[in-house]
Amino acid sequence: MQAETIISGITDPAVFAVSCALIMWTWIYVPGRLPRAYDKWISSAAAVDPRLIEALQRCRRHELRYGEDTGQASLLQSMCRDFQWPPRWGDPAVSIPFPCEMVHMGSGPSCEGHALHRFFQSWRWAMATYLPLGLLLVARKPSVKGLVRAVLSAGRSSAFLGSFIALFYYGVCLARTRIGPGILGDSVASRQALDSGICVGSGCLLCGWSILLEQPGRRKDMALFVAPRALATLLPRRYPLDKQWRETFIFATSTAVVFTCVLENKDRVRGLLGSVLRNILEP
């Protein structure tokens, strides 16, 4: 029984974390696979200089190589001018690797300080969205208890998003500065490997576990929300006409499963969808 409880409790966070890892990897390297609105929202939340993303993409394509002059220095040297850093920081032939301070984008050299900065910055950004929505719902039936609940709920959800972004950036720093060099070494080849995908993969694997800050009841809903988007990064967004029967088959099967659950155990389908289906299917 204890094992079942543990497995049940970790399944939803694990589904969310794996789904977010796929989504964030796709956002960095193949953003065209994400819906435009979703890509735009992630970019807004991440608040990252697009030149850093482009540098990571070029590293992965081996266009930007440490210790070699491949004509890529101008990309990050323009960033050095904007942030008043030494120009040599942006030259991959000289700077092996790029200092983590460039990833921090002006918040200082400390990776831990940058993670905290990202958390509070993202928390404020999220509160500007979550709190007005929560207060709007309370306005229908105003009460002190409802107001406190709305503020706490908004703060908790904002902490989740802040932690998500902070863990992603700190995962990148862990791989390229804190842990990675100790495992792979400090050679040019190791530095190239770290910045060609390992550092991004580390951030992708860490960020989704911020879901543990959310209420247990919301974890399942959030996991089910991101899982289809993660699958969409692996599957083609449009099928040829002769293969569209696959989508039809999956939709019909999924609908049958949901309807069966509603009829046999209505509590297994929660939220607005469960409420609507129960009203429709009840005799």
Side-chain angles (χ1 to χ4, degrees):
M1 182 64 71
Q2 186 176 3
E4 290 182 5
T5 303
I6 294 174
I7 292 173
S8 176
I10 203 66
T11 297
D12 293 333
V15 170
F16 183 86
V18 171
S19 299
C20 287
L22 286 171
I23 290 170
M24 294 303 293
W25 180 272
T26 302
W27 175 68
I28 292 287
Y29 291 121
V30 278
R33 291 187 183 179
L34 294 174
R36 184 174 299 178
Y38 203 45
D39 173 51
K40 185 177 180 180
W41 185 88
I42 295 175
S43 299
S44 178
V48 62
D49 193 301
R51 290 170 290 190
L52 283 175
I53 302 295
E54 180 63 27
L56 290 171
Q57 292 171 350
R58 293 184 187 183
C59 274
R60 183 142 185 93
R61 296 195 299 262
H62 299 290
E63 297 173 5
L64 189 156
R65 297 188 295 274
Y66 285 130
E68 299 181 36
D69 185 0
T70 56
Q72 305 294 322
S74 60
L75 175 65
L76 290 183
Q77 282 183 335
S78 65
M79 191 174 171
C80 290
R81 287 193 297 271
D82 293 344
F83 285 88
Q84 298 182 347
W85 295 324
R88 59 183 176 80
W89 283 12
D91 187 351
V94 178
S95 184
I96 308 172
F98 301 122
C100 246
E101 189 169 348
M102 296 187 72
V103 179
H104 305 165
M105 296 192 309
S107 65
S110 170
C111 295
E112 290 73 23
H114 173 241
L116 288 173
H117 171 77
R118 282 287 181 176
F119 173 81
F120 288 112
Q121 182 185 50
S122 303
W123 185 86
R124 290 197 305 269
W125 181 83
M127 279 292 283
T129 300
Y130 289 131
L131 186 57
L133 290 175
L135 295 177
L136 188 62
L137 293 174
V138 172
R140 296 183 301 176
K141 293 182 179 180
S143 68
V144 174
K145 186 177 181 180
L147 177 62
V148 172
R149 188 185 300 115
V151 173
L152 291 178
S153 177
R156 187 170 189 168
S157 294
S158 299
F160 149 70
L161 185 58
S163 297
F164 185 100
I165 295 171
L167 283 174
F168 177 79
Y169 280 107
Y170 192 55
V172 171
C173 289
L174 280 177
R176 72 189 311 268
T177 303
R178 294 287 187 257
I179 298 177
I183 297 174
L184 297 183
D186 207 30
S187 66
V188 174
S190 297
R191 290 295 189 175
Q192 186 72 42
L194 288 170
D195 281 357
S196 294
I198 294 176
C199 67
V200 171
S202 175
C204 291
L205 289 173
L206 277 182
C207 62
W209 292 102
S210 60
I211 190 66
L212 294 173
L213 293 178
E214 271 290 6
Q215 298 176 6
R218 291 198 63 193
R219 293 173 191 170
K220 184 185 297 292
D221 296 334
M222 296 178 72
L224 292 175
F225 176 80
V226 298
R229 287 156 177 78
L231 287 174
T233 66
L234 303 175
L235 301 172
R237 299 192 62 80
R238 291 185 179 180
Y239 284 98
L241 289 175
D242 62 331
K243 293 184 174 62
Q244 286 190 358
W245 64 268
R246 298 175 182 176
E247 290 185 340
T248 304
F249 175 76
I250 293 173
F251 177 79
T253 304
S254 302
T255 302
V257 171
V258 173
F259 277 32
T260 300
C261 288
V262 171
L263 291 172
E264 292 188 354
N265 186 353
K266 61 183 181 181
D267 293 330
R268 295 181 68 182
V269 183
R270 301 178 301 150
L272 180 61
L273 176 62
S275 176
V276 171
L277 290 179
R278 284 193 293 271
N279 289 332
I280 292 174
L281 298 176
E282 279 182 356

